[in-house]
Amino acid sequence: MPQTYQERMSVNLRPPICRSGKRWEEMVPMRDGVKLHTIFWMPDTDGPWPVLFSRTPYPKNQPIYEYQGKIFSERGYGFIYQYCRGTGASEGEWAPFENERLDGVDALQWLQQQDYIQSIGLYGFSYVAYTQWMVLDQLPPKVKTAYLVHFGTDRFRQMYANGLFRHDIYTPWAKDNCGADVIPPYEAALEAGLYKPHLEADRAVWNIDLPWYREWQTHPDYDSSFWKDSFWEELKAIPGKIQVPVYLGCGWYDHHFGGMMEGYRGLSVFAKEHSRLVMGPWVHHKQPCIDREDTDNAFAPGIHGYEGALCWMDRLLKNGELPEQEVMAYGVGQGWRELPHWPMKSQTRRYYFSSDGLTEKSDEEISALEYTYDPGEIIETRGAECMCYAPLAWRGSRLQPEPGTRTDQISLISEPLQEKMTLSGSVTVHLRVSTDAEDTAFVVRLMEITPEGKSYNIRTGATTLRYRNDSDKAQNYTPNQQVTCELKLWDILWQLPEGARIRIDIASSSFPEYNIHLNTAESWAEQKDAVIARQKVWIGGDSGSYIDLPLEAL
């Protein structure tokens, strides 16, 4: 199994066809006179050349970009990468995400005018993919396609899950990209995550003033000008305006998966008809992350990493091909599958939350399952789709503790399956709950228990009560009021074998995946004093809790 990022990206890479030619650097001017540091690699062949173009804010990754320049130029492509405003040797002030639309458009217009460039394919991973998303509706004629991996188009719902802040992603990222000379270990970000009120953590824990990070914390309402009147709203609209084929690559357990699927669903008719969607068994940096099975075949030839990019660019930049819609998905328990479209046609199987566990018939009598949530008794996340900086062993689908190991969560288990069952699409949880606090959190974890008795997480959903049901702004909640929270979990393709069982855990904590909710009605970043909450999950009758599983239609 390849260990380093470069090894994973270089699996099945074709041999060189030429030597790297000239490498040079230029300061490319933007419309306001600011100049951005741009590095060029070209093949040792006659031009003009097809080129791949990236924009990045990460000087620390320069060895990766230089490696990419070498491997692409040795395979007949030019490679150009540019440092974003205020990063590396580029002029201007660094403001995360803010300047990429205008600067990206200006950079492409400049490249359009260069005679040695025959055609352009945009190439990006993570933030570098974001810089490409932001220009896809304003492309000059030489740009024929985009190859985008692990970045989505709905920033708000990537940052907030029904009022819960995705702490593990954005707190360490803020510290790592704040411009400080020393990047602390992950434990320093955890310390900041535990500091209350978190709004003061940048100054109190790191001794750094990060106004843009505090902006993220103080806007949990999507119904605000911070989100609605900004480039983030522009980003959400861009997929529907794209008129070139795109390659979209995502991992089932990458924190950008949900936003990437939103981008895919929002593609224009033309773009989707000629796009390629790849969903693999990875976390953010393409590490395989599924304990349930051997994932040695995670890197399928021709669809992954640098070779996948070259195959795609060959079709669009060299051959002038207009591909038909393609979907490649790694089915857990199945391996790689080529699908006609996504999502696949499915049928719903409902399991009710019951005093007997998960049953296909609801209890006639209405009652409640109860537990006590003390914010001081943290449930640590072990296995998740919404983490990036935690140790790899904490991310992805991982072996879970036995049910009943804690009193502050509920475990519900089904009878063994009589035949294999394939989840295909989005799972929906209808959670009927109440609490004696002003507000609180609920975290629902869907798992498989294998015939051997081992539990592995499949998908997780989380919500507060004030932001339940994907509300754009905080709702009122009266203590002990019963409410229904509908949680739409991220898509998955996962086969459970005969004899496996479904397991659902309900709790109110999953740190550091989400912030620790203190059970008060204050905005999460301003919460300081914790309150113990008594939680009830209502079952039975027509309004009790249940889960709908999308089963692949035969």
Side-chain angles (χ1 to χ4, degrees), residues 223-239:
D223 187 21
S224 69
S225 60
F226 178 79
W227 297 107
K228 292 290 185 68
D229 301 329
S230 71
F231 50 89
W232 294 121
E233 193 70 5
E234 288 182 300
L235 174 60
K236 288 182 64 176
I238 285 174

mmCIF file with all atom_site columns, all heavy atoms in Angstrom, residues 223-239:
data_model
loop_
_atom_site.group_PDB
_atom_site.id
_atom_site.type_symbol
_atom_site.label_atom_id
_atom_site.label_alt_id
_atom_site.label_comp_id
_atom_site.label_asym_id
_atom_site.label_entity_id
_atom_site.label_seq_id
_atom_site.pdbx_PDB_ins_code
_atom_site.Cartn_x
_atom_site.Cartn_y
_atom_site.Cartn_z
_atom_site.occupancy
_atom_site.B_iso_or_equiv
_atom_site.pdbx_formal_charge
_atom_site.auth_seq_id
_atom_site.auth_comp_id
_atom_site.auth_asym_id
_atom_site.auth_atom_id
_atom_site.pdbx_PDB_model_num
ATOM 1   N N   . ASP A 1 223 ? -28.866 32.525 6.846   1.00 0.00 ? 223 ASP A N   1
ATOM 2   C CA  . ASP A 1 223 ? -29.664 33.691 6.487   1.00 0.00 ? 223 ASP A CA  1
ATOM 3   C C   . ASP A 1 223 ? -28.980 34.961 7.004   1.00 0.00 ? 223 ASP A C   1
ATOM 4   O O   . ASP A 1 223 ? -29.498 35.668 7.866   1.00 0.00 ? 223 ASP A O   1
ATOM 5   C CB  . ASP A 1 223 ? -31.072 33.561 7.065   1.00 0.00 ? 223 ASP A CB  1
ATOM 6   C CG  . ASP A 1 223 ? -32.006 34.657 6.573   1.00 0.00 ? 223 ASP A CG  1
ATOM 7   O OD1 . ASP A 1 223 ? -31.708 35.254 5.522   1.00 0.00 ? 223 ASP A OD1 1
ATOM 8   O OD2 . ASP A 1 223 ? -33.017 34.912 7.238   1.00 0.00 ? 223 ASP A OD2 1
ATOM 9   N N   . SER A 1 224 ? -27.795 35.245 6.493   1.00 0.00 ? 224 SER A N   1
ATOM 10  C CA  . SER A 1 224 ? -27.041 36.428 6.897   1.00 0.00 ? 224 SER A CA  1
ATOM 11  C C   . SER A 1 224 ? -26.265 36.938 5.694   1.00 0.00 ? 224 SER A C   1
ATOM 12  O O   . SER A 1 224 ? -25.954 36.189 4.767   1.00 0.00 ? 224 SER A O   1
ATOM 13  C CB  . SER A 1 224 ? -26.069 36.099 8.035   1.00 0.00 ? 224 SER A CB  1
ATOM 14  O OG  . SER A 1 224 ? -25.023 35.255 7.578   1.00 0.00 ? 224 SER A OG  1
ATOM 15  N N   . SER A 1 225 ? -25.920 38.213 5.723   1.00 0.00 ? 225 SER A N   1
ATOM 16  C CA  . SER A 1 225 ? -25.205 38.801 4.597   1.00 0.00 ? 225 SER A CA  1
ATOM 17  C C   . SER A 1 225 ? -23.816 38.194 4.441   1.00 0.00 ? 225 SER A C   1
ATOM 18  O O   . SER A 1 225 ? -23.253 38.179 3.340   1.00 0.00 ? 225 SER A O   1
ATOM 19  C CB  . SER A 1 225 ? -25.100 40.321 4.767   1.00 0.00 ? 225 SER A CB  1
ATOM 20  O OG  . SER A 1 225 ? -24.405 40.636 5.961   1.00 0.00 ? 225 SER A OG  1
ATOM 21  N N   . PHE A 1 226 ? -23.254 37.695 5.541   1.00 0.00 ? 226 PHE A N   1
ATOM 22  C CA  . PHE A 1 226 ? -21.927 37.078 5.466   1.00 0.00 ? 226 PHE A CA  1
ATOM 23  C C   . PHE A 1 226 ? -21.914 35.941 4.455   1.00 0.00 ? 226 PHE A C   1
ATOM 24  O O   . PHE A 1 226 ? -20.936 35.759 3.724   1.00 0.00 ? 226 PHE A O   1
ATOM 25  C CB  . PHE A 1 226 ? -21.515 36.560 6.847   1.00 0.00 ? 226 PHE A CB  1
ATOM 26  C CG  . PHE A 1 226 ? -20.169 35.870 6.859   1.00 0.00 ? 226 PHE A CG  1
ATOM 27  C CD1 . PHE A 1 226 ? -19.006 36.618 6.870   1.00 0.00 ? 226 PHE A CD1 1
ATOM 28  C CD2 . PHE A 1 226 ? -20.074 34.487 6.855   1.00 0.00 ? 226 PHE A CD2 1
ATOM 29  C CE1 . PHE A 1 226 ? -17.758 35.992 6.866   1.00 0.00 ? 226 PHE A CE1 1
ATOM 30  C CE2 . PHE A 1 226 ? -18.851 33.851 6.852   1.00 0.00 ? 226 PHE A CE2 1
ATOM 31  C CZ  . PHE A 1 226 ? -17.682 34.608 6.869   1.00 0.00 ? 226 PHE A CZ  1
ATOM 32  N N   . TRP A 1 227 ? -22.999 35.177 4.397   1.00 0.00 ? 227 TRP A N   1
ATOM 33  C CA  . TRP A 1 227 ? -23.091 34.065 3.451   1.00 0.00 ? 227 TRP A CA  1
ATOM 34  C C   . TRP A 1 227 ? -23.822 34.457 2.167   1.00 0.00 ? 227 TRP A C   1
ATOM 35  O O   . TRP A 1 227 ? -23.380 34.129 1.067   1.00 0.00 ? 227 TRP A O   1
ATOM 36  C CB  . TRP A 1 227 ? -23.812 32.877 4.106   1.00 0.00 ? 227 TRP A CB  1
ATOM 37  C CG  . TRP A 1 227 ? -23.074 32.322 5.275   1.00 0.00 ? 227 TRP A CG  1
ATOM 38  C CD1 . TRP A 1 227 ? -23.391 32.456 6.605   1.00 0.00 ? 227 TRP A CD1 1
ATOM 39  C CD2 . TRP A 1 227 ? -21.876 31.533 5.253   1.00 0.00 ? 227 TRP A CD2 1
ATOM 40  N NE1 . TRP A 1 227 ? -22.475 31.811 7.395   1.00 0.00 ? 227 TRP A NE1 1
ATOM 41  C CE2 . TRP A 1 227 ? -21.539 31.231 6.592   1.00 0.00 ? 227 TRP A CE2 1
ATOM 42  C CE3 . TRP A 1 227 ? -21.066 31.045 4.227   1.00 0.00 ? 227 TRP A CE3 1
ATOM 43  C CZ2 . TRP A 1 227 ? -20.413 30.472 6.924   1.00 0.00 ? 227 TRP A CZ2 1
ATOM 44  C CZ3 . TRP A 1 227 ? -19.951 30.289 4.550   1.00 0.00 ? 227 TRP A CZ3 1
ATOM 45  C CH2 . TRP A 1 227 ? -19.642 30.011 5.883   1.00 0.00 ? 227 TRP A CH2 1
ATOM 46  N N   . LYS A 1 228 ? -24.946 35.151 2.302   1.00 0.00 ? 228 LYS A N   1
ATOM 47  C CA  . LYS A 1 228 ? -25.800 35.410 1.149   1.00 0.00 ? 228 LYS A CA  1
ATOM 48  C C   . LYS A 1 228 ? -25.228 36.469 0.200   1.00 0.00 ? 228 LYS A C   1
ATOM 49  O O   . LYS A 1 228 ? -25.515 36.452 -0.996  1.00 0.00 ? 228 LYS A O   1
ATOM 50  C CB  . LYS A 1 228 ? -27.195 35.839 1.621   1.00 0.00 ? 228 LYS A CB  1
ATOM 51  C CG  . LYS A 1 228 ? -27.991 34.738 2.318   1.00 0.00 ? 228 LYS A CG  1
ATOM 52  C CD  . LYS A 1 228 ? -28.426 33.660 1.340   1.00 0.00 ? 228 LYS A CD  1
ATOM 53  C CE  . LYS A 1 228 ? -29.316 32.607 1.965   1.00 0.00 ? 228 LYS A CE  1
ATOM 54  N NZ  . LYS A 1 228 ? -30.641 33.107 2.346   1.00 0.00 ? 228 LYS A NZ  1
ATOM 55  N N   . ASP A 1 229 ? -24.456 37.422 0.743   1.00 0.00 ? 229 ASP A N   1
ATOM 56  C CA  . ASP A 1 229 ? -23.941 38.522 -0.074  1.00 0.00 ? 229 ASP A CA  1
ATOM 57  C C   . ASP A 1 229 ? -22.437 38.399 -0.258  1.00 0.00 ? 229 ASP A C   1
ATOM 58  O O   . ASP A 1 229 ? -21.692 39.373 -0.131  1.00 0.00 ? 229 ASP A O   1
ATOM 59  C CB  . ASP A 1 229 ? -24.279 39.879 0.566   1.00 0.00 ? 229 ASP A CB  1
ATOM 60  C CG  . ASP A 1 229 ? -25.774 40.081 0.744   1.00 0.00 ? 229 ASP A CG  1
ATOM 61  O OD1 . ASP A 1 229 ? -26.534 39.545 -0.076  1.00 0.00 ? 229 ASP A OD1 1
ATOM 62  O OD2 . ASP A 1 229 ? -26.163 40.762 1.705   1.00 0.00 ? 229 ASP A OD2 1
ATOM 63  N N   . SER A 1 230 ? -21.970 37.210 -0.560  1.00 0.00 ? 230 SER A N   1
ATOM 64  C CA  . SER A 1 230 ? -20.532 36.988 -0.621  1.00 0.00 ? 230 SER A CA  1
ATOM 65  C C   . SER A 1 230 ? -20.182 36.057 -1.767  1.00 0.00 ? 230 SER A C   1
ATOM 66  O O   . SER A 1 230 ? -21.041 35.525 -2.475  1.00 0.00 ? 230 SER A O   1
ATOM 67  C CB  . SER A 1 230 ? -20.045 36.373 0.693   1.00 0.00 ? 230 SER A CB  1
ATOM 68  O OG  . SER A 1 230 ? -20.484 35.027 0.797   1.00 0.00 ? 230 SER A OG  1
ATOM 69  N N   . PHE A 1 231 ? -18.868 35.852 -1.929  1.00 0.00 ? 231 PHE A N   1
ATOM 70  C CA  . PHE A 1 231 ? -18.375 34.941 -2.964  1.00 0.00 ? 231 PHE A CA  1
ATOM 71  C C   . PHE A 1 231 ? -18.822 33.510 -2.710  1.00 0.00 ? 231 PHE A C   1
ATOM 72  O O   . PHE A 1 231 ? -18.861 32.695 -3.636  1.00 0.00 ? 231 PHE A O   1
ATOM 73  C CB  . PHE A 1 231 ? -16.844 35.009 -3.048  1.00 0.00 ? 231 PHE A CB  1
ATOM 74  C CG  . PHE A 1 231 ? -16.142 34.877 -1.726  1.00 0.00 ? 231 PHE A CG  1
ATOM 75  C CD1 . PHE A 1 231 ? -15.785 33.639 -1.233  1.00 0.00 ? 231 PHE A CD1 1
ATOM 76  C CD2 . PHE A 1 231 ? -15.838 36.010 -0.973  1.00 0.00 ? 231 PHE A CD2 1
ATOM 77  C CE1 . PHE A 1 231 ? -15.140 33.510 -0.019  1.00 0.00 ? 231 PHE A CE1 1
ATOM 78  C CE2 . PHE A 1 231 ? -15.189 35.896 0.244   1.00 0.00 ? 231 PHE A CE2 1
ATOM 79  C CZ  . PHE A 1 231 ? -14.841 34.634 0.723   1.00 0.00 ? 231 PHE A CZ  1
ATOM 80  N N   . TRP A 1 232 ? -19.179 33.171 -1.464  1.00 0.00 ? 232 TRP A N   1
ATOM 81  C CA  . TRP A 1 232 ? -19.664 31.820 -1.188  1.00 0.00 ? 232 TRP A CA  1
ATOM 82  C C   . TRP A 1 232 ? -20.993 31.558 -1.897  1.00 0.00 ? 232 TRP A C   1
ATOM 83  O O   . TRP A 1 232 ? -21.255 30.447 -2.359  1.00 0.00 ? 232 TRP A O   1
ATOM 84  C CB  . TRP A 1 232 ? -19.804 31.599 0.309   1.00 0.00 ? 232 TRP A CB  1
ATOM 85  C CG  . TRP A 1 232 ? -18.500 31.630 1.045   1.00 0.00 ? 232 TRP A CG  1
ATOM 86  C CD1 . TRP A 1 232 ? -18.128 32.468 2.052   1.00 0.00 ? 232 TRP A CD1 1
ATOM 87  C CD2 . TRP A 1 232 ? -17.366 30.767 0.818   1.00 0.00 ? 232 TRP A CD2 1
ATOM 88  N NE1 . TRP A 1 232 ? -16.859 32.192 2.473   1.00 0.00 ? 232 TRP A NE1 1
ATOM 89  C CE2 . TRP A 1 232 ? -16.364 31.150 1.735   1.00 0.00 ? 232 TRP A CE2 1
ATOM 90  C CE3 . TRP A 1 232 ? -17.109 29.725 -0.063  1.00 0.00 ? 232 TRP A CE3 1
ATOM 91  C CZ2 . TRP A 1 232 ? -15.130 30.516 1.787   1.00 0.00 ? 232 TRP A CZ2 1
ATOM 92  C CZ3 . TRP A 1 232 ? -15.877 29.089 -0.020  1.00 0.00 ? 232 TRP A CZ3 1
ATOM 93  C CH2 . TRP A 1 232 ? -14.905 29.484 0.898   1.00 0.00 ? 232 TRP A CH2 1
ATOM 94  N N   . GLU A 1 233 ? -21.827 32.561 -1.975  1.00 0.00 ? 233 GLU A N   1
ATOM 95  C CA  . GLU A 1 233 ? -23.088 32.401 -2.692  1.00 0.00 ? 233 GLU A CA  1
ATOM 96  C C   . GLU A 1 233 ? -22.829 32.313 -4.194  1.00 0.00 ? 233 GLU A C   1
ATOM 97  O O   . GLU A 1 233 ? -23.506 31.560 -4.911  1.00 0.00 ? 233 GLU A O   1
ATOM 98  C CB  . GLU A 1 233 ? -24.023 33.565 -2.377  1.00 0.00 ? 233 GLU A CB  1
ATOM 99  C CG  . GLU A 1 233 ? -25.460 33.351 -2.824  1.00 0.00 ? 233 GLU A CG  1
ATOM 100 C CD  . GLU A 1 233 ? -26.208 32.302 -2.006  1.00 0.00 ? 233 GLU A CD  1
ATOM 101 O OE1 . GLU A 1 233 ? -25.650 31.789 -1.012  1.00 0.00 ? 233 GLU A OE1 1
ATOM 102 O OE2 . GLU A 1 233 ? -27.356 31.987 -2.368  1.00 0.00 ? 233 GLU A OE2 1
ATOM 103 N N   . GLU A 1 234 ? -21.841 33.058 -4.672  1.00 0.00 ? 234 GLU A N   1
ATOM 104 C CA  . GLU A 1 234 ? -21.462 32.938 -6.083  1.00 0.00 ? 234 GLU A CA  1
ATOM 105 C C   . GLU A 1 234 ? -20.995 31.525 -6.391  1.00 0.00 ? 234 GLU A C   1
ATOM 106 O O   . GLU A 1 234 ? -21.341 30.945 -7.429  1.00 0.00 ? 234 GLU A O   1
ATOM 107 C CB  . GLU A 1 234 ? -20.342 33.933 -6.403  1.00 0.00 ? 234 GLU A CB  1
ATOM 108 C CG  . GLU A 1 234 ? -20.772 35.380 -6.458  1.00 0.00 ? 234 GLU A CG  1
ATOM 109 C CD  . GLU A 1 234 ? -19.623 36.297 -6.836  1.00 0.00 ? 234 GLU A CD  1
ATOM 110 O OE1 . GLU A 1 234 ? -18.623 36.327 -6.092  1.00 0.00 ? 234 GLU A OE1 1
ATOM 111 O OE2 . GLU A 1 234 ? -19.721 36.970 -7.876  1.00 0.00 ? 234 GLU A OE2 1
ATOM 112 N N   . LEU A 1 235 ? -20.208 30.949 -5.476  1.00 0.00 ? 235 LEU A N   1
ATOM 113 C CA  . LEU A 1 235 ? -19.695 29.596 -5.683  1.00 0.00 ? 235 LEU A CA  1
ATOM 114 C C   . LEU A 1 235 ? -20.831 28.594 -5.843  1.00 0.00 ? 235 LEU A C   1
ATOM 115 O O   . LEU A 1 235 ? -20.770 27.708 -6.710  1.00 0.00 ? 235 LEU A O   1
ATOM 116 C CB  . LEU A 1 235 ? -18.799 29.197 -4.507  1.00 0.00 ? 235 LEU A CB  1
ATOM 117 C CG  . LEU A 1 235 ? -18.283 27.758 -4.484  1.00 0.00 ? 235 LEU A CG  1
ATOM 118 C CD1 . LEU A 1 235 ? -17.443 27.460 -5.723  1.00 0.00 ? 235 LEU A CD1 1
ATOM 119 C CD2 . LEU A 1 235 ? -17.485 27.500 -3.210  1.00 0.00 ? 235 LEU A CD2 1
ATOM 120 N N   . LYS A 1 236 ? -21.875 28.700 -5.032  1.00 0.00 ? 236 LYS A N   1
ATOM 121 C CA  . LYS A 1 236 ? -22.993 27.763 -5.121  1.00 0.00 ? 236 LYS A CA  1
ATOM 122 C C   . LYS A 1 236 ? -23.671 27.804 -6.484  1.00 0.00 ? 236 LYS A C   1
ATOM 123 O O   . LYS A 1 236 ? -24.208 26.791 -6.956  1.00 0.00 ? 236 LYS A O   1
ATOM 124 C CB  . LYS A 1 236 ? -24.024 28.075 -4.026  1.00 0.00 ? 236 LYS A CB  1
ATOM 125 C CG  . LYS A 1 236 ? -23.588 27.703 -2.634  1.00 0.00 ? 236 LYS A CG  1
ATOM 126 C CD  . LYS A 1 236 ? -24.673 27.994 -1.617  1.00 0.00 ? 236 LYS A CD  1
ATOM 127 C CE  . LYS A 1 236 ? -25.899 27.146 -1.849  1.00 0.00 ? 236 LYS A CE  1
ATOM 128 N NZ  . LYS A 1 236 ? -26.935 27.346 -0.831  1.00 0.00 ? 236 LYS A NZ  1
ATOM 129 N N   . ALA A 1 237 ? -23.657 28.963 -7.134  1.00 0.00 ? 237 ALA A N   1
ATOM 130 C CA  . ALA A 1 237 ? -24.350 29.114 -8.418  1.00 0.00 ? 237 ALA A CA  1
ATOM 131 C C   . ALA A 1 237 ? -23.503 28.712 -9.613  1.00 0.00 ? 237 ALA A C   1
ATOM 132 O O   . ALA A 1 237 ? -24.038 28.485 -10.705 1.00 0.00 ? 237 ALA A O   1
ATOM 133 C CB  . ALA A 1 237 ? -24.804 30.569 -8.585  1.00 0.00 ? 237 ALA A CB  1
ATOM 134 N N   . ILE A 1 238 ? -22.192 28.604 -9.436  1.00 0.00 ? 238 ILE A N   1
ATOM 135 C CA  . ILE A 1 238 ? -21.303 28.377 -10.572 1.00 0.00 ? 238 ILE A CA  1
ATOM 136 C C   . ILE A 1 238 ? -21.533 27.042 -11.270 1.00 0.00 ? 238 ILE A C   1
ATOM 137 O O   . ILE A 1 238 ? -21.515 26.973 -12.509 1.00 0.00 ? 238 ILE A O   1
ATOM 138 C CB  . ILE A 1 238 ? -19.835 28.551 -10.133 1.00 0.00 ? 238 ILE A CB  1
ATOM 139 C CG1 . ILE A 1 238 ? -19.539 30.057 -9.965  1.00 0.00 ? 238 ILE A CG1 1
ATOM 140 C CG2 . ILE A 1 238 ? -18.867 27.916 -11.127 1.00 0.00 ? 238 ILE A CG2 1
ATOM 141 C CD1 . ILE A 1 238 ? -18.181 30.366 -9.401  1.00 0.00 ? 238 ILE A CD1 1
ATOM 142 N N   . PRO A 1 239 ? -21.747 25.902 -10.554 1.00 0.00 ? 239 PRO A N   1
ATOM 143 C CA  . PRO A 1 239 ? -21.908 24.635 -11.279 1.00 0.00 ? 239 PRO A CA  1
ATOM 144 C C   . PRO A 1 239 ? -22.955 24.685 -12.384 1.00 0.00 ? 239 PRO A C   1
ATOM 145 O O   . PRO A 1 239 ? -22.763 24.088 -13.458 1.00 0.00 ? 239 PRO A O   1
ATOM 146 C CB  . PRO A 1 239 ? -22.300 23.653 -10.170 1.00 0.00 ? 239 PRO A CB  1
ATOM 147 C CG  . PRO A 1 239 ? -21.634 24.191 -8.956  1.00 0.00 ? 239 PRO A CG  1
ATOM 148 C CD  . PRO A 1 239 ? -21.743 25.694 -9.092  1.00 0.00 ? 239 PRO A CD  1
#
